[in-house]
Amino acid sequence: MPVFYGTEVASRLMLGTAQYPSPAVLESAFRRSGAGVATVSLRRESAGDGGGGDNGDGGNAFWTLIRSLGVHVLPNTAGCHSAREAITTARMAREVFETDWIKLEVIGHADTLQPDPFGLLEAAKHLAGDGFRVFPYTTEDGVLAGRLLDAGCEVLMPWGAPIGTGRGLNNLYGLRTLRAQFPDVPMVIDAGLGLPSHAAQAMELGFDAVLLNTAVARAGDPAAMAEGFARATEAGRLGLDADPMPPRDMAAPSTPVLGLPVL
């Protein structure tokens, strides 16, 4: 199982907690998936809808539900568009959720929700220096990855595709290169996964875990989809660990021809 900042988690599947039709559906999805980590957002407005808030009855009910799941909590800085905003949000989240773990998001583009590499690195330096265990949401850029590691991050979370698109692993070459460049760094594919097969592919590439939200929360049957993703991560990891055959350009017969009669 993956180890993040010295803590082993129970599953290679990490789930977000937003967009579910109801708290009961959210709970069912987590129970059925066996996910080891739940990402949660610190809402800066009233959380009357029961989702991820830091004030109001809805926020208290949400936090009670998350605690009951028995998973590791990974607060995030979703919706932040500057380093300063992300740093402030992270510090508030540490007080509310009582953890030094933080999924660091600094968004640089409104349409693609691509991370801002400059703001991300700035915020990562500040938060790591402040004792946070930073999980940076980043791209597959190897140079940026190296700078984030130098800043104190011990985990990387490269995107598969833009958040909520369900397009899977858009840049296989880039992700494969990133994995090879930092073979000992725990890495989580975060964002853009839409099907369990995408998760299996990420595992086959050697990534340690996957994080997703929309693909499960917006499915017709979120609990079934969550279980599907859980099984896919297990299958993909088993395939990787089994030392799979390399691809070939030419056919190779599975039945030997030696000893066959010549007619």
Side-chain angles (χ1 to χ4, degrees):
M1 288 297 108
V3 176
F4 304 125
Y5 290 102
T7 298
E8 184 177 51
V9 299
S11 170
R12 298 187 185 276
L13 178 62
M14 305 162 70
L15 287 181
T17 55
Q19 305 184 61
Y20 290 85
S22 70
V25 172
L26 184 156
E27 180 177 11
S28 178
F30 268 85
R31 301 287 187 198
R32 194 160 164 183
S33 72
V37 174
T39 60
V40 295
S41 297
L42 179 67
R43 298 281 293 275
R44 284 163 290 181
E45 68 272 14
S46 175
D49 62 355
D54 59 332
N55 51 39
D57 293 339
N60 291 333
F62 171 82
W63 187 218
T64 298
L65 171 59
I66 297 302
R67 284 181 181 274
S68 74
L69 297 175
V71 298
H72 294 278
V73 174
L74 178 60
N76 64 39
T77 62
C80 293
H81 291 259
S82 70
R84 180 178 180 181
E85 188 179 14
I87 292 167
T88 300
T89 301
R91 288 171 175 164
M92 294 170 63
R94 178 161 62 180
E95 294 183 11
V96 172
F97 297 110
E98 301 175 333
T99 177
D100 289 330
W101 282 18
I102 191 72
K103 179 192 168 188
L104 179 60
E105 296 183 28
V106 182
I107 301 302
H109 192 278
D111 291 333
T112 64
L113 302 181
Q114 178 174 333
D116 172 1
F118 308 103
L120 180 66
L121 183 57
E122 179 185 349
K125 289 179 179 178
H126 278 82
L127 293 174
D130 197 22
F132 280 90
R133 310 294 192 181
V134 182
F135 294 68
Y137 167 60
T138 183
T139 65
E140 64 276 20
D141 186 324
V143 175
L144 175 58
R147 297 291 178 85
L148 289 168
L149 295 173
D150 291 341
C153 300
E154 297 180 15
V155 178
L156 296 173
M157 303 186 78
W159 65 349
I163 294 170
T165 61
R167 299 184 64 86
L169 306 183
N170 269 356
N171 185 357
L172 286 175
Y173 171 79
L175 290 171
R176 187 180 291 113
T177 300
L178 181 68
R179 179 69 282 182
Q181 187 174 352
F182 303 102
D184 299 322
V185 175
M187 291 191 195
V188 181
I189 293 293
D190 177 18
L193 304 186
L195 294 169
S197 58
H198 298 156
Q201 187 178 32
M203 295 294 100
E204 291 165 357
L205 287 176
F207 288 89
D208 299 278
V210 295
L211 170 58
L212 56 132
N213 191 159
T214 307
V216 168
R218 292 303 189 188
D221 186 340
M225 184 62 80
E227 182 179 346
F229 269 98
R231 293 188 181 189
T233 59
E234 294 175 3
R237 188 67 191 195
L238 281 171
L240 176 69
D241 292 343
D243 190 15
M245 62 175 284
R248 298 171 53 95
D249 292 328
M250 300 296 292
S254 57
T255 301
V257 296
L258 184 65
L260 290 177
V262 178
L263 301 177

